[in-house]
Amino acid sequence: KVMCQILWFCATIVMLNIVAGMKLPCQTKLIIKRILMETINVEMEDIFNKKTSVKQEWLEGRNIYVFSDFHSGDGTARDNFKYLGNETNLMQCLKYIKKEDENSAILILGDFLEFWQSPFGSVFKNNISLMDEFADTEAVYILGNHDNDLLDFLDPKISPLLGHKFFDRMGEAVLINRGDKRIALAHGHEVDPFNSSAVPGKGRVLAIIAGMFEDKIGSPFLPNGKSVESSLLKVGEWLLSIGMQLYAKFKNISTPEQAESGQGLTASKSNDLTQKNIESWEKIKNEKKEFDVLVCGHTHRPGIAKNSENICWYYNSGSWASNRNTYLKIDLKGEITIHEWKDGGTILFDETITY
């Protein structure tokens, strides 16, 4: 029944693609284009070195422990983080790091709070203890796509409305120097056309639909163990590709390939889409030559990528929204390692994916 409802929703996406090829008022076509045909041109200055970037001095002179993608929401069935008991695991991990490394800095690399599926007030109410903990450790917070509702609060005119000390060290992506390396710190969604905009788009709509199913079945997982969200995205990707081919026919495009957007619904939980995300970042790296190494999250896939010279330039911190809880450590020389919190202790992540 759940899959039938997912198919019904995705079928509407296909129909919208067909409608987009019809003769409609200009404003209607613009709305459809915005919903279905989002594209972005990523420029380096659009990502780093903004006035709203986190301050580099907040991280200087300390080993940086990078966490991302908790997606901590309202504590209901939509909340993978709390459903799996990962809040307890995280608290233990933070306590361990504080004890073992007095020179540590905690960096939250986006999607800490889950605003796409849960109301503002409920999210804050259910995450006070975590925000208190992060405030005590002076954690630095870079926003992702699921928590970019906080973006406007970076404006000094309204930032006092947040009130909590945790948000004093909140900002956007930044470049830092570590050893002889220029390291980019970003959530990763900045090059994902379905998730980069602060304006609600397809990625957010699909997350909302997934949340509705999770409420209905009382769990973020289907009986087969697969997550509701990842199943929805796979079906949606398949139907969207069909819709794009139909769109091509209505627009009299000679081949379906010419109509392909070249982008998936989201990079999260998909090897192919993760690869596209990495390729987009590599293009920026090679063209802009502003950084040597990228540290990011977003895809929920801890891993690395190497260039043609076998030099690692991409590191992903993974997530805390599944049964594998991973994070990165950046030492003072710029060396980066991937770790997993498992069975009450930390180990080097032994299943690192190389792209």
Side-chain angles (χ1 to χ4, degrees):
K1 184 177 180 180
V2 171
M3 290 306 299
C4 286
Q5 290 175 307
I6 292 174
L7 285 167
W8 171 83
F9 167 73
C10 293
T12 63
I13 296 178
V14 175
M15 292 305 297
L16 283 172
N17 276 284
I18 295 173
V19 171
M22 297 178 178
K23 291 184 178 180
L24 296 171
C26 181
Q27 186 63 29
T28 303
K29 284 195 172 186
L30 286 174
I31 293 173
I32 292 173
K33 183 176 181 179
R34 185 171 190 172
I35 295 175
L36 293 167
M37 300 285 289
E38 292 169 330
T39 57
I40 60 170
N41 273 319
V42 178
E43 297 292 338
M44 180 56 64
E45 55 268 27
D46 292 335
I47 301 177
F48 301 106
N49 297 319
K50 297 180 180 179
K51 291 182 180 179
T52 51
S53 293
V54 300
K55 296 180 181 179
Q56 297 181 36
E57 55 262 34
W58 291 343
L59 299 167
E60 285 179 354
R62 295 194 285 174
N63 297 315
I64 305 172
Y65 293 83
V66 183
F67 296 80
S68 72
D69 297 275
F70 305 137
H71 293 273
S72 188
D74 58 5
T76 67
R78 299 179 176 208
D79 192 337
N80 294 45
F81 180 68
K82 291 186 175 65
Y83 184 90
L84 293 168
N86 285 337
E87 181 172 5
T88 300
N89 294 332
L90 178 62
M91 288 292 198
Q92 291 175 349
C93 184
L94 293 174
K95 184 178 180 180
Y96 171 86
I97 291 172
K98 186 176 182 179
K99 179 182 177 181
E100 296 295 321
D101 188 351
E102 296 180 353
N103 193 38
S104 62
I106 302 298
L107 172 63
I108 306 168
L109 204 54
D111 286 1
F112 163 35
L113 300 173
E114 179 53 66
F115 293 125
W116 280 19
Q117 293 186 331
S118 306
F120 235 66
S122 296
V123 172
F124 285 142
K125 180 181 178 181
N126 282 276
N127 287 282
I128 286 295
S129 59
L130 269 178
M131 291 191 291
D132 288 343
E133 178 67 24
F134 283 133
D136 288 342
T137 59
E138 297 186 329
V140 177
Y141 182 19
I142 290 178
L143 295 173
N145 51 308
H146 283 251
D147 47 17
N148 68 3
D149 286 15
L150 297 171
L151 194 61
D152 286 332
F153 288 94
L154 296 177
D155 186 336
K157 294 178 181 178
I158 65 170
S159 59
L161 293 175
L162 288 177
H164 200 286
K165 186 180 178 182
F166 165 64
F167 298 107
D168 292 348
R169 291 173 176 256
M170 179 176 72
E172 294 189 87
V174 70
L175 299 171
I176 65 170
N177 295 313
R178 193 50 68 104
D180 60 351
K181 300 172 184 174
R182 186 71 162 159
I183 301 176
L185 303 172
H187 176 60
H189 72 293
E190 294 86 351
V191 299
D192 183 345
F194 285 81
N195 294 281
S196 62
S197 175
V199 179
K202 289 184 288 298
R204 188 163 190 161
V205 170
L206 287 169
I208 292 171
I209 296 296
M212 293 168 61
F213 290 130
E214 289 164 348
D215 286 344
K216 193 173 185 63
I217 65 177
S219 168
F221 300 99
L222 295 170
N224 62 4
K226 301 291 184 180
S227 75
V228 171
E229 185 177 356
S230 62
S231 298
L232 172 63
L233 292 172
K234 287 178 182 178
V235 175
E237 182 73 18
W238 172 64
L239 285 173
L240 185 59
S241 67
I242 295 175
M244 292 305 296
Q245 294 184 47
L246 291 172
Y247 174 79
K249 293 183 182 296
F250 274 90
K251 296 294 291 184
N252 295 319
I253 297 175
S254 58
T255 62
E257 286 75 15
Q258 289 177 270
E260 291 289 345
S261 65
Q263 302 289 345
L265 293 172
T266 176
S268 178
K269 307 181 188 69
S270 167
N271 276 324
D272 291 341
L273 299 177
T274 295
Q275 187 63 46
K276 290 179 182 178
N277 187 265
I278 293 173
E279 289 171 358
S280 295
W281 278 113
E282 187 172 27
K283 180 180 179 182
I284 291 174
K285 175 182 177 294
N286 293 337
E287 290 182 357
K288 300 296 180 178
K289 302 185 184 304
E290 294 280 347
F291 62 88
D292 305 303
V293 175
L294 171 70
V295 172
C296 66
H298 185 53
T299 68
H300 295 198
R301 292 180 174 273
I304 62 175
K306 298 180 179 181
N307 60 19
S308 58
E309 298 175 351
N310 204 37
I311 297 174
C312 189
W313 67 272
Y314 168 98
Y315 294 86
N316 194 290
S317 54
S319 85
W320 285 65
S322 70
N323 290 315
R324 305 301 298 269
N325 301 322
T326 56
Y327 63 96
L328 305 177
K329 178 183 177 181
I330 308 173
D331 69 17
L332 296 176
K333 295 180 180 180
E335 297 299 318
I336 304 174
T337 48
I338 303 178
H339 300 258
E340 179 182 4
W341 183 259
K342 185 176 182 180
D343 299 328
T346 186
I347 59 174
L348 284 175
F349 189 60
D350 58 358
E351 296 180 21
T352 300
I353 302 171
T354 303
Y355 295 97

